[in-house]
Amino acid sequence: MKNFDFVLWDWNGTLLNDLEMNLEIVDALLSDHGLKGPVSKEFYLENFGFPVSKFYIKMGFDLSKEDFLLLADEYDREYLKRLPQTFLFEDAESALASLSESGVHQAVISATKHERLVPQVRDYNVEKYFDAVLGTENNLGNGKTAVAAQWLRNSGANPERTVFIGDTLHDLECAKKIGCTCFFIARGHNSKEKLLATGCEVFDDISQAAARILGSTN
């Protein structure tokens, strides 16, 4: 017997394996703006979060002098340029398929701008598994709690039968906002230690989380 009827999947770092690409982009931004780099993977995993503007400050950007709107546009251009060389985690599609075949409803949610997210999901050929593809109104990385709350209102999902699966502490914030369970996959944009400290269930890969949802593991 499955443990949940609805799954909200985070996109970046959970289904899409884009951590290394993000490290490359932030290092390029630091270099282009004359700031010290590169950012270590350890620093990134411990400090990345939402709103992304706070993370930029931690990296050394002075947002009283730098226009964050322009920085976000620079990041966005580099991300889209590099995206074709980035792939889903190898167990992502099989997990999505097994959940779908078992009658679990799924949606994908991201802080990515909606008009950018939809073609990304389509290009990776996983759109068919989702009842909804949920992005934000802009590319400023302010987070997705409002998007999650609106989805819950519109979907009719029971929060007690819903799980939010992500890779950062912001995903827990979203889960709390809509009153559902949160699972973490520990290979994205926050460290495993940081995720474990929340008390939520943490998995090493997507297949483990899918098995937990379907009730085939404890």
Side-chain angles (χ1 to χ4, degrees):
M1 178 180 173
K2 63 182 185 289
N3 293 314
F4 298 94
D5 298 319
F6 293 86
V7 179
L8 266 176
W9 290 98
D10 171 60
W11 180 242
N12 306 91
T14 302
L15 295 173
L16 184 65
N17 186 1
D18 66 350
L19 172 60
E20 295 301 326
M21 178 175 71
N22 275 274
L23 287 169
E24 293 173 1
I25 294 172
V26 296
D27 284 345
L29 286 177
L30 288 168
S31 177
D32 290 345
H33 289 263
L35 296 173
K36 185 179 179 180
V39 169
S40 71
K41 188 173 184 178
E42 291 73 21
F43 176 90
Y44 185 98
L45 294 176
E46 287 303 313
N47 291 281
F48 179 79
F50 293 85
V52 173
S53 57
K54 290 186 177 180
F55 176 59
Y56 275 57
I57 293 171
K58 290 180 180 180
M59 288 195 295
F61 287 94
D62 183 348
L63 298 188
S64 68
K65 298 177 180 178
E66 296 272 9
D67 187 338
F68 183 66
L69 292 173
L70 296 180
L71 289 172
D73 285 342
E74 287 182 49
Y75 167 87
D76 209 33
R77 286 194 297 272
E78 280 299 311
Y79 190 92
L80 292 174
K81 185 190 302 182
R82 298 166 189 251
L83 189 60
Q85 285 76 53
T86 303
F87 302 96
L88 298 181
F89 284 104
E90 60 183 13
D91 58 346
E93 185 167 5
S94 61
L96 294 173
S98 67
L99 291 171
S100 181
E101 290 166 2
S102 299
V104 177
H105 293 276
Q106 302 176 87
V108 61
I109 183 169
S110 175
T112 300
K113 193 174 183 180
H114 182 75
E115 65 185 42
R116 297 275 174 83
L117 179 64
V118 170
Q120 286 182 32
V121 174
R122 186 184 303 125
D123 288 346
Y124 287 104
N125 198 34
V126 290
E127 185 181 31
K128 58 193 172 188
Y129 300 117
F130 301 121
D131 295 348
V133 176
L134 309 165
T136 59
E137 295 180 353
N138 57 57
N139 67 340
L140 299 180
N142 290 327
K144 50 189 185 279
T145 52
V147 177
Q150 184 175 10
W151 171 82
L152 185 70
R153 289 192 297 269
N154 295 339
S155 68
N158 178 356
E160 294 182 359
R161 298 288 299 172
T162 300
V163 60
F164 198 118
I165 303 180
D167 66 303
T168 71
L169 297 191
H170 180 59
D171 297 309
L172 177 57
E173 293 172 5
C174 293
K176 287 180 176 178
K177 176 72 174 181
I178 64 176
C180 73
T181 299
C182 181
F183 291 167
F184 289 120
I185 311 295
R187 56 185 182 185
H189 295 261
N190 278 161
S191 69
K192 185 173 185 177
E193 293 73 22
K194 199 175 183 76
L195 301 178
L196 285 169
T198 67
C200 293
E201 292 186 60
V202 179
F203 301 92
D204 291 323
D205 58 48
I206 296 170
S207 59
Q208 292 175 359
R212 172 70 171 82
I213 290 164
L214 295 176
S216 56
T217 186
N218 293 321

